Amino acid sequence: MAFEARDIGIGMIGCGTVGGGVATLLRDQAALYERRLGRPLRLRKVLVRDAKKARQGGAASELVTTDADAFFATADMPIIVEVAGGAGTIHEHVRRAITTGRHVVTANKSLLAAHGAELFALARRHQVSIAFEASCCGGIPVITALHAGLMANRIDALYGILNGTCNYILTEMTQQRKPYDVALSEAQQHGYAEADPTLDVSGMDAAQKLCVLASLAFGAQVTSEQVRVIGIDQLELTDIRFAAEMGYDIKLLGIAEAVEGKLSLTVQPCFLHKDVMLAQVRGPFNALSVYGHATGQTMYYGRGAGALPTASAIVSDVINLASGGYPHAFAALNLWSDQQPAARIIDHDDLCSRFYVRINAMDRPGTMARVTQALGEAGISLSAVMQHESGEGKFVPVVVLTHRARWGSLRQALAKVEALDVIDGRPVCIRIVDLPDG
Amino acid sequence: MAFEARDIGIGMIGCGTVGGGVATLLRDQAALYERRLGRPLRLRKVLVRDAKKARQGGAASELVTTDADAFFATADMPIIVEVAGGAGTIHEHVRRAITTGRHVVTANKSLLAAHGAELFALARRHQVSIAFEASCCGGIPVITALHAGLMANRIDALYGILNGTCNYILTEMTQQRKPYDVALSEAQQHGYAEADPTLDVSGMDAAQKLCVLASLAFGAQVTSEQVRVIGIDQLELTDIRFAAEMGYDIKLLGIAEAVEGKLSLTVQPCFLHKDVMLAQVRGPFNALSVYGHATGQTMYYGRGAGALPTASAIVSDVINLASGGYPHAFAALNLWSDQQPAARIIDHDDLCSRFYVRINAMDRPGTMARVTQALGEAGISLSAVMQHESGEGKFVPVVVLTHRARWGSLRQALAKVEALDVIDGRPVCIRIVDLPDG
């Protein structure tokens, strides 16, 4: 576990945006890191698929190779940083890094969400560690908070704005009243969204991060399939307007909550009261609120993506590995998903919450009575009803806010509402999140 | 450095509010901690001045002693937690814990601010470590962020709401327009302020925390005397009202900024634009914004005091010591104040900022011209002037906001303004903090 050479040699797999950031930090801050660590960090080798791109990313050309065997044969390289992303070959490379006795630092949330337990177990067998601060929330040290700073807490809930692309789009929709398509295309122009934005706007990226965070926080193996995911790509400006009228913002929240010994895992657009701290998180920023039994709420805020913020998390992990601090914590603490039982997930129908419901209803006498009757029969009571003026005989949006209700009951009631002849289209239903006090 | 016994024995010095919280966590969460650590934590001995009070605090009576020699002679007690606070005897106890080979966990910001470098050096000589997450911001893991999660960053600035008592009082003054005295006495009733609130409201508590944070963040030895401190005890409701009219909240901010290779260290009431995240921190909560060169802003938010939040920080430190993670980091990293040069502090007169100035001026022709001339001659340009209507010949408050100005120049100009015969009393001057982008 100790690092014997005076220099700490680093191998890097991938050299795109984040890899370029890592190369930049290691070059520009070499003196600072050597002062902090008492020994220098040295980038020894960079494994890429396309050597030309890697050089554009800032890695010195003599370090770059496309030959995996040559890369793994490099001597004095006890730490391998994986910033390529993806699965398949990259999964194999990470396994090979571990089996050749290297500590691994990775930003790869999809790999960890799918294969974390396998990789942690492999690392344990080979007496190395896996550090993954960069996998969630970019430069915000949330993983460090969960495995170190909050160690004395039983964690009761996580509420996170985990995807900067979605938060940027929602901020533009909310503040500028831009429709989804316009906000998305602007996000793409600013580099906040990929050409193919599916992974982000579908909520899947946030779901993978929620898996990584929840596994660590709750001491359970969590997989993406266990997360109920609704993206922002179907969200209408109408609902953002109604939310604002009622004092709420809509945010894409990743939520992991302990409910009666089980876990509830969701990623979905949610109503958040404008006054809570999480609702103040705007643009491409991320934040995670952690509810610990002793701390109450602590919140972590910052840039969730970008070359230098993510590289900050990677290089901080490298320094914490090189100091020996992280390897000892990794070996001694039973926190990692391979040591945990599979999560017991609550039936989503049993989730209790307040909800916002919008229906298109015919504006004629008796319509509201039929809608509220269907809801009332399912035991759903309402805290507010809102309908703007319109003309008799036309379809108008009617908004109701429910008191706390079981999702399964509301779902069934909404199916009945939808079947009424005075209702047009599917009801829109959005969870209202009331954050615990504190 | 390794812990040999199966149990991890803990000694505790002090058993007041925080000590009671530590005893509670160790008792109620024993199973959780043993699962995480693979071995149990055991409170072995509690050293107090008054055994009766300690038992009220939740420590089992057979553990409590008032005999320091008996306490330090306790076997299998490799970690000593100090939650007594204060100096003198406590300083001696901490030295004795170290020289008898114990790791120390302390919440004692005043001890660290005054004697941190001496104690860190002593710990190094005795091959033990000092953990101090609980010394700043209660349950929020800001120390962990600075020594681990943000390790790849050169830190450029810290902006902190570091004292919950002051923030509670300011929140009440702002939201309910209560005068300072009323808000203070309510804070005392709620247990947010001590019977003698001087340490809090004078800004001295925040200054001690800023020392601890700045030493770690900037790699320099910082002492309380180097911090320019202005408390909230002279703050008038008038200024909070004017701030609100102009879109600002007044917060007591601890600020440490790197300016041209030197440090600026201040604790003072500041104008903060209502829209920034730090301005949203209300009531007894704390927050710290850290500007790293790679991350940009990251912010940490939560409860800065209270039995369980502070105990969370203490017990998290204990677990991180017991895992071996913290001792290795402490030994390997050159972050601790004994290893750092003394801070070079910028002359406070050279601090550049925007400022709010309120003067009581005679409402008659020519007054504003004389005031603005005095400011103009010192090179101070104004961005806004505000004066409410009143009657000719009376004193009225006149508010000006300056553009960025050197404090020394403004100070001299205000002395001239104060000397004018149309001015009553001393000008009030409050810094306007424009947080860096991001």
Side-chain angles (χ1 to χ4, degrees), chain B residues 401-413:
Chain B
L401 303 191
T402 74
H403 283 296
R404 256 176 99 76
R406 198 177 150 272
W407 166 243
S409 307
L410 179 59
R411 190 172 53 75
Q412 288 172 7

Side-chain angles (χ1 to χ4, degrees), chain A residues 29 33 35-36 141 148-149 151-153 293-295 298-301 303 309 312 316 319-320 323 325 328 332-334 438, chain B residues 29 33 35-36 141 148-149 151-153 293-295 298-301 303 309 312 316 319-320 323 325 328 332-334 438:
Chain A
Q29 302 297 330
Y33 302 151
R35 194 162 69 236
R36 287 185 175 162
M151 203 41 359
N153 288 266
H293 90 285
T295 54
T298 54
M299 196 190 83
Y300 309 83
Y301 167 86
R303 292 180 187 284
S312 160
S316 295
I319 295 173
N320 295 324
S323 76
H328 279 83
L333 296 172
N334 300 312
Chain B
Q29 302 298 329
Y33 303 151
R35 196 162 68 238
R36 287 185 175 162
M151 202 42 0
N153 288 266
H293 91 285
T295 55
T298 55
M299 196 190 83
Y300 308 84
Y301 167 86
R303 292 180 187 283
S312 160
S316 295
I319 296 174
N320 295 324
S323 77
H328 279 83
L333 296 172
N334 301 312

